[in-house]
Amino acid sequence: MDRVGLIGYGHMGSMLVNGFLTSGILSTDELVVATKSLESRNACAAAWPGVGIARTNAELARQCRTIIIAVRPQEMATVLNEILPVMDGDEHIVSLAAGISLKDLESVFPGSLTRAIPTITSTVGQGTTLVCHGRQVDINSALRVEGLFSSLGNVVLVSEEELPAAMLLSSCGPGLLAVIIDELAGATARASGLPKDRAIGLTMEMVAATAAYLRETGRRPGEMIEEVATGGGVTEAGVRKLRERLPGVFDETIISMLERCNTVGAWSGRRTDF
Ligand SMILES: NC(=O)C1=CN([C@@H]2O[C@H](COP(=O)(O)OP(=O)(O)OC[C@H]3O[C@@H](n4cnc5c(N)ncnc54)[C@H](OP(=O)(O)O)[C@@H]3O)[C@@H](O)[C@H]2O)C=CC1
Ligand SMILES: O=C(O)[C@@H]1CCC=N1
């Protein structure tokens, strides 16, 4: 049986298990999970009776043809060290790791490799998984992986050059937007006495409604701002302040994230491990 193996049962790993099984794209006997701690293995086994739980990454690799690696970039070398010796070479490895290039991965595994960058919002069936296939991936394997991630939400194919910028928006973006929601609600609460929880509730509804409005009407953000900011009114005062300050803040934010993207997967020093 062509079982799917998932290494790592953290935020992404547990979301993928949940998505693959609740969507029905996989049944429990088609999925094997390996993760470092006994605690996480037990949590997976308790949540999903029937899913294969491998005691080691090598044990998983012996059973699966598609192997999704959902560990932090810093752990990738360790995991590959464990699974490569027991693999045939015709497996398809799917790496979720931010900042580890196909070239780096191909230097240790010359077979089928795909990078997939999901998003935590797929927990609620919304958001985009970015997918970038390596040169060795045949059409059936590509469709198989795209089908798996489609069960969680949108799949968008990207080139590896586009991947960091696309990831900043689609996968890191929810974290950034959560900061903005928190800060906007916090400032409103501080200035007005409105309880923070109520401010967060109102802000969340507003953000979801704003995205829906832009999506459904096809308006550009600039057009929407004009509609909301009545000339000489209240919004205009706030928009003016943000337009002064935000470009600098966002430029710094994006530059620091792109820089981190270049270093987070820096495992070349450990390449001799393979
Ligand atoms: N979080 C996000 O929104 C996104 C993350 N990613 C990428 O996904 C990957 C996982 O991120 P995330 O889920 O947030 O990270 P977490 O820290 O939540 O999860 C990492 C998991 O890896 C497991 N693990 C660590 N070392 C090993 C090992 N040697 N063998 C097996 N399992 C191991 C941990 O095990 P245990 O629990 O057993 O200790 C843990 O379950 C990262 O590479 C990240 O770049 C990509 C897109 C979005
Ligand atoms: O912050 C991170 O490194 C990961 C990658 C994309 C979202 N979270």
Side-chain angles (χ1 to χ4, degrees):
M1 187 192 292
D2 179 13
R3 298 171 98 189
V4 173
L6 179 66
I7 300 181
Y9 191 70
H11 294 105
M12 287 298 104
S14 56
M15 179 187 82
L16 295 184
V17 172
N18 181 63
F20 294 158
L21 295 176
T22 55
S23 69
I25 191 115
L26 293 180
S27 54
T28 51
D29 62 354
E30 291 174 309
L31 184 60
V32 181
V33 174
T35 193
K36 192 173 188 174
S37 69
L38 180 61
E39 193 186 353
S40 294
R41 286 202 290 279
N42 287 343
C44 181
W48 301 106
V51 165
I53 306 289
R55 277 166 307 137
T56 65
N57 296 328
E59 186 182 306
L60 176 145
R62 282 190 200 96
Q63 301 174 46
C64 302
R65 212 201 133 258
T66 305
I67 300 173
I68 302 173
I69 307 183
V71 303
R72 295 183 186 185
Q74 299 85 342
E75 289 292 331
M76 183 61 93
T78 305
V79 169
L80 291 173
N81 259 329
E82 289 168 6
I83 63 174
L84 290 177
V86 302
M87 286 168 51
D88 296 334
D90 63 353
E91 296 84 352
H92 185 180
I93 292 185
V94 181
S95 164
L96 266 51
I100 299 184
S101 68
L102 286 171
K103 191 163 162 252
D104 271 346
L105 294 167
E106 279 164 3
S107 72
V108 295
F109 178 70
S112 288
L113 282 163
T114 292
R115 290 183 65 190
I117 304 288
T119 167
I120 195 70
T121 59
S122 289
T123 307
V124 294
Q126 297 198 35
T128 298
T129 300
L130 304 169
V131 171
C132 173
H133 296 297
R135 290 167 298 156
Q136 305 291 339
V137 179
D138 63 43
I139 184 73
N140 289 333
S141 303
L143 292 175
R144 167 94 165 127
V145 165
E146 289 164 31
L148 284 172
F149 285 96
S150 293
S151 74
L152 307 167
N154 295 332
V155 166
V156 170
L157 296 177
V158 287
S159 68
E160 202 167 28
E161 290 70 37
E162 295 169 321
L163 196 59
M167 179 185 80
L168 256 48
L169 295 174
S170 69
S171 295
C172 306
L176 303 181
L177 195 52
V179 172
I180 292 168
I181 291 171
D182 200 37
E183 292 292 345
L184 187 55
T188 308
R190 284 194 297 279
S192 67
L194 190 70
K196 174 99 184 264
D197 283 353
R198 284 200 64 205
I200 287 179
L202 288 168
T203 311
M204 275 187 320
E205 285 305 317
M206 174 277 290
V207 167
T210 301
Y213 181 84
L214 288 171
R215 182 147 59 179
E216 283 172 37
T217 62
R219 302 252 202 295
R220 312 284 297 170
E223 293 172 309
M224 186 180 185
I225 293 167
E226 229 172 76
E227 290 173 327
V228 179
T230 309
V234 181
T235 315
E236 198 179 71
V239 168
R240 200 175 299 125
K241 272 270 168 257
L242 291 180
R243 287 293 197 201
E244 276 168 29
R245 308 278 286 273
L246 277 191
V249 171
F250 277 115
D251 283 345
E252 281 177 31
T253 303
I254 295 301
I255 285 167
S256 71
M257 293 171 77
L258 286 174
E259 280 172 5
R260 185 62 187 137
C261 216
N262 287 332
T263 56
V264 70
W267 53 311
S268 51
R270 279 184 277 169
R271 238 179 250 159
T272 48
D273 291 345
F274 297 100

